[in-house]
Structures are given as C-alpha cells and as structure tokens.
Amino acid sequence: DGKPASPEQSAPSPLAGCYAELSGAGTFLAAGDRVASGALGAGCTAKVFNSLAIVGGGFRQEFGNPINAGELYGRLGLKIKPHVDVYGLALWKTPNWSLMNTGSLYTGVGVETNLFSDRVSLFAEGAVAVSKIGASATKDDVLTRVGIRFWLQ
C-alpha cells in the first residue's frame, strides 16, 4: 500500500533470532553428590504461528564439571506474555563432545523473559535424565540452569 512500516511492525520480535548465552548449572547426581558448572553457548529461536509459539535450539560448552561436557538442545514452547516464553526442552549431554555411542538424554521445561531491553533475557531451565548410553555417559540425573542470553538482532 506504499505506507512506511510503523515502528511496531519493523522492530525485531523480542526473544526471537540468534543469541549467545552465559549460564550456571546445578547438577544433582544419583549418588547424592552435587556439581556446579558454568557454560557458554549459542542458539537461535523463531516465533511461529503468528508469534504465539517458539521453536529453537542450540549448543553449550560446560566448564567446571568433573568432565568436559557438551550439550545440544532443542526447545518448543508458547509465548504467554509479550516478553515471556515457556517451553519444553530436550537436550543431549555428552562427555568431551563424543556425540556417538555415549551421553544422556534429558527432557524438561524452561521459562524466559526480557531484562532491561529486547536484547537481553533471563532464562531458567530444569531437566531430568531419561536415558543414558555408554560407559562414559554423564552421571547426572537432575539438571537446573539459570542464565542470560544476549540477542543478536
């Protein structure tokens, strides 16, 4: 129609696009031990179905764990407020990025909300190990994570 887009139409969607993240995790082991670790990661998220739902995924590198662990994850969820998403989470955690024949599959939930601006968000996740493969699979049973995402929009 030749009209310029309004600021609302041309602004990037909050909590959508690609991001870098910094997080800390608490891992609770079957043996009763607890382990704290930090992680760096990156991923992307898209808003779908007229911005009512999200789909995304990414990776993390954990530091401070007894073993050097990598994570690949996917998430699918809903936008419950303009700047708040809730999602289901599936992740594959593997020692030393040995993606074949070893690792742990987790399922869980997460929530994410903007902080300060559309470019910074806070997220929290909780997941439970549902399957372990290989003798060197990570030994965690419950994983909790809190972090900050920096959106590259």
Side-chain angles (χ1 to χ4, degrees):
D1 61 8
K3 293 181 184 175
S6 70
E8 295 82 18
Q9 292 171 329
S10 60
S13 176
L15 303 177
C18 293
Y19 54 84
E21 69 176 42
L22 175 63
S23 64
T27 302
F28 303 90
L29 309 177
D33 297 334
R34 292 184 204 99
V35 176
S37 62
L40 296 174
C44 293
T45 297
K47 298 280 186 183
V48 294
F49 301 116
N50 200 25
S51 293
L52 296 176
I54 64 162
V55 61
F59 68 93
R60 294 183 183 112
Q61 174 64 52
E62 280 197 7
F63 302 98
N65 210 340
I67 59 170
N68 191 18
E71 292 180 13
L72 297 173
Y73 64 89
R75 57 194 195 133
L76 178 64
L78 298 172
K79 177 172 71 170
I80 59 171
K81 290 193 172 191
H83 297 279
V84 179
D85 293 339
V86 294
Y87 53 90
L89 174 72
L91 69 89
W92 182 254
K93 186 173 182 176
T94 183
N96 299 313
W97 287 101
S98 300
L99 297 177
M100 304 303 287
N101 302 319
T102 187
S104 300
L105 176 65
Y106 290 79
T107 59
V109 296
V111 63
E112 184 168 13
T113 187
N114 286 106
L115 289 178
F116 318 123
S117 75
D118 287 347
R119 292 185 172 258
V120 181
S121 64
L122 174 68
F123 70 96
E125 297 172 345
V128 176
V130 294
S131 178
K132 297 181 181 189
I133 300 170
S136 62
T138 57
K139 304 299 184 209
D140 0 340
D141 288 316
V142 177
L143 174 68
T144 58
R145 180 175 305 280
V146 175
I148 295 176
R149 291 191 172 123
F150 302 94
W151 293 86
L152 310 172
Q153 41 194 358

